[in-house]
Amino acid sequence: MTAISPPARLAAPHEALGQDELALATRNHGLPLEALRYDITPAGLHYVLIHYDIPDAAADAWRLTVRGRVRNPLSLDLDTLMSLPSATHRVTLECAGNGRALLSPRPVSQPWLLEAVGTAEWTGVPLRTLLAAADVAPDAVEAVFTGADHGLERGVEQDYQRSLPLSVATADGPEVLVAYAMNDAPLPPQHGYPLRLIVPGWYGMAHVKWLRDITLTRTPFTGFQQATAYRYRQTPEAPGEPVTRIAPRALLIPPGFPDFMSRTRVVHPGPVLLEGRAWSGHAPVTRVELSADDAATWRPAQLALPDPAHPWSWRRWHTTWPATPGTHHLTPRATDAEGRTQPTAPPWNRGGFGNNLVQRVTVVCLPG
Ligand SMILES: Nc1nc2c(c(=O)[nH]1)N[C@H]1C(S)=C(S)[C@@H](COP(=O)(O)O)O[C@H]1N2
Ligand SMILES: [Mo]
């Protein structure tokens, strides 16, 4: 099931952002990069991505159903769900479209630069607890997750739906959660109130918000968000590879202070503390390097020790940079334990997914 709907549009060379992209960008906000200073992102600063509208969720009437290829279908209200044993995981979430607006040609969609990321402590019921209670049939291969939001996308009317292979849905590391709390408070409406899925290590699209149904299926799910959207493809006809885990990335908190309109950074000469965060959804980040000469040469930065309690959370890194008068381009780069790293040329695909091109921060150092 591919190419049943028109392909996503690519902007013409040098085509400016349109009102449609601006409308998406004002609804879906990013993390202000200075908020990388917090281990845990305050909920209001966490990035937000919503395809359609925030649905009107009445908590007292909410039911989560688990059905399909199960021997014991469930219909749980929130009180019942919240009385089950819970777990809390600190998880860095990143939108698969992060970096999209830096591509050329630009896929026309939510125009993220680099800020579609955040880290929160999510509390909920492990998904495998619910699947065990529902007694999954031996012929089930996937779990399909349905949100309460509804919309039209490239001509296809749909509820927001995504699936996970059963092996991922029931893994104990990372443990998938049906979460009802973010940073110790009920989920905010924009983050999925009252229930959402959390899939540590995976790009945002897998973390279905306003979760109302889990259906076990005998065949792989071919809905729009699985088989049409969220594929790495070079041409509209190609089936493409599915978008799954988060590629490594390091971000630098832009140093000094900004110019209002250009947001160019300004510093005074002397040692400048450079700090940021790094993460990968595949394996722990093992190295962060910093280039102060536009990715020509690299020096190692100091990376915080791994915290075994939070394997799916970003880690802080820092280094000192001796600023001298003139214009400089600062670039961090992360590498993970499996050798994945960040490219210095953007990896282009039609959806603008998984673009983990290195960040480039222009800094003007004033004369002494
Ligand atoms: N039901 C539903 N779930 C959804 C979405 C959506 O539009 N509807 N957007 C997805 C995408 S693309 C991302 S990146 C994450 C964003 O999660 P956040 O807004 O909590 O940061 O939610 C995912 N879950
Ligand atoms: Mo996303």
Side-chain angles (χ1 to χ4, degrees):
M1 180 183 131
T2 47
I4 55 151
S5 54
R9 194 170 79 78
L10 299 178
H14 310 298
E15 179 185 329
L17 284 189
Q19 289 240 352
D20 46 358
E21 290 161 291
L22 180 59
L24 284 176
T26 55
R27 289 179 55 79
N28 297 309
H29 68 78
L31 174 90
L33 292 186
E34 62 274 28
L36 289 165
R37 71 170 72 102
Y38 309 110
D39 284 336
I40 296 170
T41 310
L45 296 180
H46 194 283
Y47 89 95
V48 173
L49 193 292
I50 299 167
H51 283 231
Y52 315 129
D53 290 349
I54 299 172
D56 186 12
D60 44 350
W62 199 269
R63 284 280 185 290
L64 175 67
T65 47
V66 184
R67 60 199 176 95
R69 302 301 304 154
V70 297
R71 295 191 185 100
N72 180 35
L74 307 176
S75 174
L76 305 169
D77 61 22
L78 289 179
D79 285 344
T80 308
L81 200 76
M82 289 166 73
S83 69
L84 298 173
S86 69
T88 298
H89 296 311
R90 186 180 300 182
V91 176
T92 296
L93 216 74
E94 183 179 10
C95 179
N98 205 12
R100 176 184 289 128
L102 301 172
L103 293 172
S104 181
R106 182 179 77 252
V108 175
S109 183
Q110 166 68 27
W112 296 121
L113 297 169
L114 288 170
E115 61 296 272
V117 66
T119 296
E121 297 222 299
W122 303 97
T123 300
V125 180
L127 176 61
R128 58 206 169 110
T129 305
L130 299 178
L131 296 182
D135 196 5
V136 174
D139 63 356
V141 296
E142 286 198 350
V144 180
F145 305 90
T146 303
D149 50 333
H150 191 85
L152 195 67
E153 206 158 325
R154 290 192 256 146
V156 181
E157 188 180 341
Q158 58 191 284
D159 294 336
Y160 187 90
Q161 286 186 306
R162 286 274 312 179
S163 74
L164 289 174
L166 213 49
S167 56
V168 175
T170 55
D172 57 358
E175 183 175 65
V176 178
L177 290 182
V178 172
Y180 47 76
M182 176 186 194
N183 300 347
D184 266 330
L187 299 180
Q190 69 273 28
H191 292 295
Y193 181 82
L195 293 178
R196 78 172 307 168
L197 205 64
I198 290 293
V199 190
W202 284 53
Y203 277 121
M205 75 282 148
H207 304 235
V208 177
K209 300 192 272 192
W210 311 293
L211 180 65
R212 62 171 183 77
D213 180 70
I214 302 172
T215 294
L216 284 293
T217 60
R218 215 170 8 199
T219 54
F221 178 59
T222 57
F224 183 91
Q225 305 298 344
Q226 206 79 26
T228 302
Y230 297 111
R231 314 283 297 193
Y232 292 110
R233 44 165 88 88
Q234 298 295 319
T235 63
E237 306 77 33
E241 288 298 311
V243 177
T244 59
R245 290 178 177 275
I246 300 174
R249 191 194 293 281
L251 286 179
L252 165 67
I253 298 176
F257 51 90
D259 170 65
F260 175 43
M261 278 315 297
S262 67
R263 294 209 55 83
T264 299
R265 310 306 300 189
V266 183
V267 299
H268 295 290
V272 175
L273 173 69
L274 300 180
E275 57 180 320
R277 301 278 169 177
W279 62 93
S280 163
H282 293 271
V285 169
T286 47
R287 189 165 74 231
V288 174
E289 301 155 287
L290 192 279
S291 171
D293 54 11
D294 214 0
T297 60
W298 300 86
R299 288 189 298 122
Q302 229 110 10
L303 180 61
L305 291 175
D307 183 343
H310 305 299
W312 304 104
S313 173
W314 59 24
R315 276 159 66 194
R316 183 175 178 270
W317 60 267
H318 72 278
T319 188
T320 304
W321 170 58
T324 54
T327 298
H328 306 273
H329 301 288
L330 303 181
T331 299
R333 178 170 70 185
T335 302
D336 75 16
E338 293 174 358
R340 286 186 190 76
T341 189
Q342 297 186 248
T344 49
W348 191 89
N349 55 77
R350 283 197 59 102
F353 300 124
N355 173 16
N356 66 337
L357 170 73
V358 290
Q359 179 190 20
R360 182 174 187 264
V361 181
T362 300
V363 182
V364 174
C365 178
L366 300 174

